[in-house]
Structure formats: structure tokens, C-alpha cells
Amino acid sequence: MIWAVGISKLGELYRDIVPDYVAQADVHIVDKGYEAVIEALERLPAGSVDGIVAAGSNGDFLRERLALPVVLVKVTGSDVMHALARARRALPASLPDSRIALVSYARPAAEFERFKRAFHLDISQHTYVDAQNAEDLVHRLRDDGMAVIVGPGLVTQLTERAGLTGIFLYSQDSVRAAFDTALEVARLGRIEAQRRERLDTVLRHLHEGVAAVDLNGRIEALNASMAGILGVTAADAVGRTLDTIAPALDIARTLESASAELEAIVSMAGKTWVINRIPLLDQGTLTGALVTCQDSQSFARVDRSLRSRHRPRHLVARYRLDDLIGDSAAMTQVRALARRYAQTDSTVLVHGESGTGKELLAQGIHNASRRRDYPFVAINCAAFPETLLESELFGYEDGAFSGARRGGKAGLFETAHNGTIFLDEIGEMPMPLQTRLLRVLQEREVLRLGANEPVPCDVRVIAATHRDLRQQVAAGLFREDLYYRLNILRMVLPALRERMDDLPRLTPLFLERALARAGARVSVDALQASLLPLLASYRWPGNVRELENLLERIAVVCADVVDAREISRARLVEIAPELGTTPPAFDVSKTNGGRTNSTMGTMGVTGPTSEAAVEASGAPMTGRERRAALELARIHSTLAACGGDRNAACEALGISRSTLWRKLRAG
């Protein structure tokens, strides 16, 4: 969009030329001048007009007051000669050339003075600076006897009003040249505006703050993020020195040395920022500097995102709390407590015998927590020698010891950053490593072997043990301060013998999976019916893991059997002898918190005596009644073996006194 501004004769010249530019631009002829043009522009949306073509005082007036490019129609020597030739033709023959005057805006035309001397012309040249001055000049020239006045459109109009002959100074060629220049300027302006808009869009969408300063440190531009960081508006900040607004950013060194300073750490407005100071060079010459500012927390967020996206598959928790199968009161309570614990980041200490599902519980807590999208790292503290366990947990630097991996290695605590680390068999951890673990839990940072600088680490710790850590502390085998640091949220996983009500739920689940893996054709329900009485009479020292493994063995051996009736009780006992004999002496040091009873050598459980007593009754019984009778017989047998000592019987049976009392009362 080009505005061609001019009155009278210049406007007429525009109308002759505009049709030639229709294909290149939308040209509007504005028959106004001075303030009237500015007022008309103010009524339009910003950016509606790309350039203005004007002449004389009108053009200078607009150029000084508008941010738009204003292209002036320039008078050439050819214009002057042609105008003077027309003036001589318009001058009556009886009058001399001295009755012709040339009027120019602001300054005399140097070309005319040279032309006048070369051709010995007696033509005077005059100048004006504004409309009033032009009108006064025309009246004075009339009074001096001038007959023809050559000048711009305003002068020509005033001359004709004064009753003299006015000759318009400008030619079509001059106006065309101005139009061509205005189009090129507008085109370049559009390109520059597009570049600026693209850059502004980029800066506007940058989360980091960006500010550009000149050689004096004065702000030339800044984006909204930087304005927010500095607590100012962009309009107020531009033109002020950066040091007066944010002394902590200190751009002086960069402006003096023309060298970049990257990733500097600065405290400002109660936060820690990462600052980059970059010199701005134009063809090798320093013209200013660029400052970028980013909240250090954003780096932490990016780090978490990268860790979660590139997390190895073995660091993913597969199980959920619903995978803890069981409808018994004990398991219902475990799941409810685990869900409550999952809502916090406090350390959890899990007690339970081997095979009760301590890692499954830990994975379930992790997947129910806010850390579910981050790594789950598990390690058995009893599976590594002390030196190897230390390097696995805490990592090491390059060259920390002989055989260390080049470049060093991150430990499991670093690997579990923002996630959960599961320390199984924590009671087996050597004392020196307990000291290091205590520091990690207290300071939330890890010091690699051979390193000087600790690495911050945000990890939720879940520890598990089958030992009584209090006894370990009393024996000097476990640090007391570490015990209290771990024992914040405590959970106990019940042994399978303490929740035998869950056996009918667990058995078909494990059996179905085992039969499917073995490709067996036998019915799950039929095989389960034969198995449950035997399973219910066993004490399960290996807990759920032993149950799953035993059912796997039965499924593999019976893979070719079609009819479950072919699998007799004797055959099942042959496959799993532990189901038909009294289990071996049970190591109670691994259960019930490690309490022992030296007076007890065996558990006093199923055996031929118990079964014989039940079978000798001769009364018809359902499966449930038979299991209850067997259990009661087992309890009485154990009480007898313990000489009536109920505490000892509870130890042997793995049940509490209240459970023993309830079962005896029900019997």
C-alpha cells in the first residue's frame, strides 16, 4: 500500500502515472497535506500503509513526523530545464527573462546555478520553508514585477491565485523514480517486517529470558520471559541500562572483552538462574551483547524428562498392588496400607519371610506413587561382595580403582533419580556401607568412589529384610541410626501359613499359568480339586514362591495327562514328596522377627498321626470341614509337643496367640 501525497498539479501528475503501477501496489492518491495526512493515517490500523510518496515541504513535514518511509520526489536538472523552457514560452515576448523566477523548497538548486552561469540566464532563484513563507514569497515576487514563477505544486497554486503564470517544476520521470524507490523500500520493509515478526515469534515462545543490549549496556530489546524475570514491562525497560534493572546479570565484562560467558550461575529474585552472556558482532565489530536467563529448575525438569524417556526396560516396575493376590484380612490390610504409603515419599521398611512377595509389594508402591513415571531400581544387598556392592550403589569416577570403566559409572542411586530404589535384604549390608547409605538418606546426595563433588539425588527408598533389625542393632550388626532412618513407614508381609484362606485363590491362578506354559491339557479345576487338600495340610516354609514353584513342577510332570482322575493322591505325593511328609525342622530365626525357641526342634505338623486321627472319626466331611479338622488336629499335636506352652506352640505354628485362641475356640 503506497500513499501518493500531493495537492493540485502534483496530484494530477500522480493520476496520470498510477495506472502503470496497479499490478505492483495498491496506490492511493491523497489530496491532502501536512497534519491532515497524519490524522488520516492515525484512523487506519497500524501497518496498513507501507510507504508514502510526497514532495517539497509537505514531504519534509511528513518525513520528520512519521515512522513510515517517506520518499521525496526529487527535482532533476532535466526537470529544471524543461520547466524553464515552458516558462519562457509562457512569458510575453515583450518581457525579459528577468521576469521569470525559480522557487525551490529549503535550499537553492545547485544544478540551476551552474546552468544559469553557463547560458548567461537572468533568472532569479528563491527558496521557502513552509506554506506561509511560500505565500509571502509569491506576493513579494509579484510586487517585484515577476510574471512567471516556476516551482512545486504549492508554489504553483499560490502563483495562480496571485494572478501570475505558474509553471509546475516536477516531471513524470521524477515522479516515476519516486514511485519505483517507494515500491522497493516497501518491499524491503515487508521482508524486514517478516523477519522481525519471525524473530519476535521465536523470542515470544522461548521459555528462557532474552535481552539484547548496545555497547553502553542499554536494553534494545527483550522478550516477555525476561521482562517477567526482571519484574518490568518491555516498554519501561527498553532504553534503560541492564545494570540498573538487574545488577546481578553484569554484562560489563562481555562488552569489554567481546568474549562469551556461558552457563554462569546467578542468584536473583530468590531463585538460582543459569545465565549466558554472548557478544553481538557485526562483520567482526562488537555492537552489543545478548543475555539469556533460565531458571535452574527447568534443567532439572528436562533432566527428569530425559531420564524417563530413555529409561531401560529393566528399570520399569511391572507389578501393581492389585497383583498382591489374596482376600484374607491380612492381605487386604497390606494393600490398603501400601496405597496410603504410596502417597508419601517417606522411606518404607518391609519385613517378611523369603518368598512372601517383598519386591512385588515395593513395585506396587512405586507404581501407585507420583514417581511411577521414573525408574524403579532393585538390588539384593546380600548378592554382592562389599566392594562390588559399594560401586554398584554409589558409582565411581574414571580411574577410581583398577579395572574401573573408562569415563566412570553412575551408581544405582543416581540411576534411580526421581524414582524408587528397592534395597532387598538390607540386613545383610556390611557396616561400612551402612554408614554411606545413612549419609545418602540424610543429605539426599551421592558421592561416587574417587569423586570430590557429590551428586544431588532425589530417590524414594524401600528396604526389605527377613531379619529382626532390632536384634541386629543389639548384636552390633546394624547401625542404630540407620535403623531409625529406615523404619519410618513399616510394613509386614504375612507368611502363607498365616493366610491359608488365600490358598484357594492363589492355587488356580498359579496352576493355570503353569499348565499353559507346559502345554498341558488337564483341567485346572479338576487338578485343583485333587491338590487343595494336600496343599492345605502343608506349612509352606517357602511361602508363595514355594507354592508357585511346586505347582510349576506338577504342571510339567502332568502335561500329558488328559483326565485329572488319573492323577491320584499317591501320584501327587510322588511328584511333590513334601506334601505327604512332615516338613523338616523350620528355622524360626527367619520368621516372626527372628525370635527363636531352643526347646523346639520341629514344627509338629501334618503327618500320618494327624491324618489318621481325622480319618478315624468316620464322619462324612466336606473339603472345608476336613481342612479345619486337620488344622485343629495339627494345633493339638503341636501343643502336646510343646508341653502345653502356648507361646512355644504359636512360634512353631507361625501364628499369633489371638489366632491360636480363636481356632481352639472354634474347634
Side-chain angles (χ1 to χ4, degrees):
M1 170 71 72
I2 302 295
W3 271 19
V5 176
I7 54 179
S8 66
K9 296 188 179 297
L10 185 58
E12 295 173 3
L13 198 55
Y14 286 156
R15 291 183 182 88
D16 294 336
I17 295 173
V18 164
D20 297 338
Y21 290 89
V22 170
Q24 297 172 264
D26 186 5
V27 182
H28 280 233
I29 300 173
V30 181
D31 191 15
K32 298 177 181 179
Y34 305 100
E35 289 88 353
V37 177
I38 296 176
E39 291 173 2
L41 283 171
E42 288 175 348
R43 290 194 291 269
L44 296 177
S48 298
V49 179
D50 295 299
I52 293 177
V53 175
S57 60
N58 199 8
D60 267 11
F61 179 88
L62 297 176
R63 176 177 276 184
E64 290 175 1
R65 289 164 176 78
L66 294 177
L68 290 171
V70 177
V71 178
L72 299 179
V73 181
K74 296 181 179 179
V75 179
T76 65
S78 175
D79 291 340
V80 174
M81 287 188 294
H82 282 90
L84 290 176
R86 293 198 304 275
R88 291 194 67 174
R89 289 195 295 270
L91 184 69
S94 59
L95 297 178
D97 291 345
S98 59
R99 304 290 292 275
I100 299 175
L102 174 64
V103 177
S104 304
Y105 170 70
R107 65 183 69 85
E111 297 87 348
F112 173 71
E113 292 299 326
R114 289 193 296 269
F115 180 73
K116 187 171 71 169
R117 287 194 299 268
F119 291 92
H120 306 288
L121 298 177
D122 188 15
I123 299 174
S124 61
Q125 181 176 199
H126 308 272
T127 60
Y128 70 97
V129 292
D130 55 34
Q132 185 59 49
N133 183 234
E135 186 174 2
D136 294 342
L137 176 61
V138 169
H139 290 162
R140 190 173 67 251
L141 291 174
R142 181 192 62 184
D143 295 342
D144 290 342
M146 293 297 172
V148 180
I149 298 177
V150 178
L154 174 63
V155 172
T156 304
Q157 190 178 36
L158 293 170
T159 299
E160 293 176 348
R161 286 179 187 171
L164 304 177
T165 301
I167 302 298
F168 188 49
L169 182 58
Y170 298 110
S171 66
Q172 280 196 359
D173 290 340
S174 298
V175 175
R176 287 184 186 277
F179 270 48
D180 291 340
T181 302
L183 288 173
E184 183 62 16
V185 169
R187 187 183 68 84
L188 294 176
R190 282 288 180 96
I191 293 173
E192 185 61 29
Q194 289 173 356
R195 289 176 179 170
R196 251 193 331 267
E197 185 176 355
R198 188 180 299 113
L199 180 60
D200 289 344
T201 302
V202 172
L203 293 178
R204 193 164 52 249
H205 287 84
L206 285 177
H207 293 296
E208 60 182 335
V210 182
V213 301
D214 62 15
L215 287 173
N216 296 317
R218 296 188 182 278
I219 298 174
E220 293 181 325
L222 77 167
N223 66 351
S225 296
M226 181 63 89
I229 292 169
L230 301 182
V232 297
T233 64
D236 292 338
V238 172
R240 297 172 60 187
T241 59
L242 184 61
D243 289 345
T244 60
I245 299 176
L249 296 183
D250 188 21
I251 198 66
R253 283 199 307 271
T254 301
L255 292 174
E256 291 172 3
S257 63
S259 58
E261 185 178 0
L262 305 178
E263 298 180 358
I265 306 300
V266 170
S267 294
M268 184 174 61
K271 290 185 177 181
T272 302
W273 305 89
V274 180
I275 306 297
N276 293 309
R277 303 178 179 95
I278 305 166
L280 294 176
L281 303 175
D282 185 2
Q283 297 182 352
T285 301
L286 182 68
T287 59
L290 192 71
V291 182
T292 68
C293 186
Q294 191 169 4
D295 186 355
S296 61
Q297 293 299 318
S298 64
F299 287 93
R301 289 191 293 270
V302 171
D303 176 63
R304 289 195 295 269
S305 178
L306 289 174
R307 287 173 184 258
S308 64
R309 290 185 182 184
H310 299 287
R311 184 174 58 203
R313 295 187 65 180
H314 68 278
L315 301 182
V316 176
R318 294 177 298 160
Y319 298 106
R320 302 184 180 278
L321 291 176
D322 290 337
D323 292 322
L324 284 166
I325 305 300
D327 298 324
S328 63
M331 289 307 295
T332 302
Q333 183 179 3
V334 165
R335 286 193 297 269
L337 192 59
R339 288 191 174 91
R340 186 175 303 170
Y341 286 175
Q343 305 310 308
T344 75
D345 281 335
S346 301
T347 302
V348 181
L349 181 60
V350 181
H351 287 271
E353 296 178 15
S354 177
T356 52
K358 296 188 289 294
E359 182 171 350
L360 191 152
L361 174 64
Q363 291 190 24
I365 292 175
H366 172 81
N367 276 330
S369 73
R370 66 175 183 84
R371 299 175 180 266
R372 67 179 68 87
D373 295 327
Y374 299 101
F376 177 86
V377 178
I379 185 171
N380 190 318
C381 299
F384 295 89
E386 178 180 334
T387 53
L388 184 55
L389 180 61
E390 183 177 22
S391 65
E392 285 293 316
L393 284 174
F394 308 114
Y396 54 83
E397 292 292 294
D398 188 3
F401 51 84
S402 298
R405 180 190 299 177
R406 179 174 296 178
K409 178 186 176 184
L412 295 182
F413 273 97
E414 288 183 62
T415 304
H417 183 59
N418 293 311
T420 303
I421 188 168
F422 175 58
L423 303 176
D424 198 9
E425 302 297 352
I426 188 71
E428 312 300 323
M429 179 176 283
M431 287 291 283
L433 295 192
Q434 293 179 27
T435 304
R436 293 202 62 181
L437 175 60
L438 179 64
R439 179 167 182 81
V440 172
L441 295 178
Q442 288 175 338
E443 305 299 332
R444 295 296 174 181
E445 59 184 25
V446 175
L447 185 66
R448 291 185 182 185
L449 294 176
N452 296 320
E453 292 292 331
V455 178
C457 192
D458 178 15
V459 174
R460 202 255 179 94
V461 175
I462 301 178
T465 182
H466 70 275
R467 294 186 178 278
D468 186 335
L469 293 186
R470 290 182 190 146
Q471 287 190 358
Q472 295 276 94
V473 170
L477 300 176
F478 201 84
R479 289 184 62 104
E480 184 176 15
D481 47 5
L482 177 59
Y483 170 71
Y484 289 117
R485 177 66 69 174
L486 291 172
N487 194 34
I488 299 174
L489 304 179
R490 187 173 184 274
M491 296 194 71
V492 178
L493 272 175
L496 180 56
R497 63 182 171 277
E498 296 174 1
R499 57 183 188 107
M500 295 294 283
D501 292 346
D502 291 332
L503 197 62
R505 174 93 184 274
L506 293 169
T507 301
L509 177 68
F510 294 149
L511 190 58
E512 183 177 7
R513 294 174 184 172
L515 291 172
R517 286 192 294 269
R521 295 173 292 173
V522 65
S523 165
V524 174
D525 294 337
L527 187 55
Q528 175 189 346
S530 303
L531 268 173
L532 271 177
L534 288 172
L535 299 178
S537 64
Y538 186 56
R539 295 302 300 156
W540 301 108
N543 293 294
V544 178
R545 182 186 294 124
E546 183 184 12
L547 171 64
E548 188 173 9
N549 293 343
L550 186 144
L551 294 175
E552 178 84 19
R553 186 198 317 164
I554 292 174
V556 171
V557 174
C558 299
D560 296 332
V561 177
V562 177
D563 189 351
R565 289 175 296 183
E566 300 178 18
I567 308 174
S568 63
R569 174 189 177 89
R571 177 59 175 153
L572 290 173
V573 171
E574 181 183 347
I575 298 171
E578 55 265 58
L579 297 180
T581 60
T582 300
F586 194 78
D587 183 3
V588 294
S589 66
K590 295 183 180 179
T591 64
N592 301 311
R595 295 187 299 275
T596 59
N597 189 334
S598 58
T599 65
M600 225 170 17
T602 65
M603 297 256 329
V605 288
T606 59
T609 304
S610 296
E611 292 187 7
V614 173
E615 297 295 341
S617 66
M621 291 183 290
T622 64
R624 178 175 293 182
E625 290 171 342
R626 185 175 183 280
R627 286 195 300 274
L630 286 171
E631 184 176 35
L632 184 61
R634 189 162 56 249
I635 290 173
H636 284 295
S637 176
T638 304
L639 277 170
C642 295
D645 186 340
R646 292 197 174 190
N647 288 333
C650 288
E651 292 280 359
L653 292 167
I655 60 177
S656 66
R657 284 180 59 84
S658 60
T659 301
L660 177 65
W661 179 83
R662 178 172 52 80
K663 290 184 179 294
L664 288 173
R665 185 179 179 185

